[in-house]
Amino acid sequence: MNSTAQKIIDALSGEEVVLLLDTIRYGAWGDCDNEFRDEAGNIETVHCYGYCTNDAHRGGRFKGRKVSAMFRSIYKKLCPDDGIGRHLAHVSDWWGDGSGDMLFLRDGVYQEFEEVAKNWK
């Protein structure tokens, strides 16, 4: 696989990959538009799909503070500019009531990741 999803997977630790895939499997929320960086580093608004990170625990692999630390590491690697990256974006407290942080994958990338998550062993 020589895809954007593979490049993102290669940038993460093994546990971070599993957490990201669990988020995709269990936290699917819906499509919307959100801000990402374009190839030149400028902010652009594009179609994407959102995943509730609070649902990642449903994968049964990670809990509590470890999950928070792993997500911070993922965001630092993939969306270090105030939660905005080329392919991934993070919005803390999406609904403004403390009920959930959201991770967004850009259109084109989220479809790749959903296929990877479906087939991941």
Side-chain angles (χ1 to χ4, degrees):
M1 171 177 29
N2 187 15
S3 65
T4 302
Q6 185 63 53
K7 291 174 188 168
I8 292 170
I9 288 169
D10 290 346
L12 302 175
S13 74
E15 285 189 330
E16 290 169 346
V17 170
V18 172
L19 181 64
L20 180 59
L21 295 176
D22 279 351
T23 303
I24 292 166
R25 282 187 198 107
Y26 300 105
W29 172 70
D31 65 334
C32 62
D33 291 335
N34 199 36
E35 292 181 337
F36 292 86
R37 294 284 174 184
D38 66 14
E39 290 181 14
N42 301 307
I43 293 177
E44 63 179 347
T45 301
V46 298
H47 186 258
C48 61
Y49 204 91
Y51 304 87
C52 184
T53 62
N54 294 37
D55 292 335
H57 76 277
R58 292 176 49 212
R61 302 177 224 282
F62 309 106
K63 294 183 187 216
R65 293 178 189 228
K66 182 171 185 167
V67 172
S68 298
M70 290 169 60
F71 274 122
R72 278 193 304 276
S73 177
I74 291 170
Y75 302 146
K76 184 177 179 181
K77 293 174 185 177
L78 299 177
C79 51
D81 188 17
D82 292 325
I84 303 171
R86 175 81 179 113
H87 303 289
L88 188 142
H90 167 247
V91 177
S92 179
D93 196 17
W94 175 255
W95 290 276
D97 62 3
S99 67
D101 290 356
M102 294 293 292
L103 177 150
F104 297 93
L105 291 171
R106 171 189 281 273
D107 192 27
V109 176
Y110 82 80
Q111 293 94 332
E112 289 180 27
F113 262 105
E114 288 188 352
E115 192 64 29
V116 171
K118 183 171 54 175
N119 295 313
W120 194 266
K121 307 260 183 227

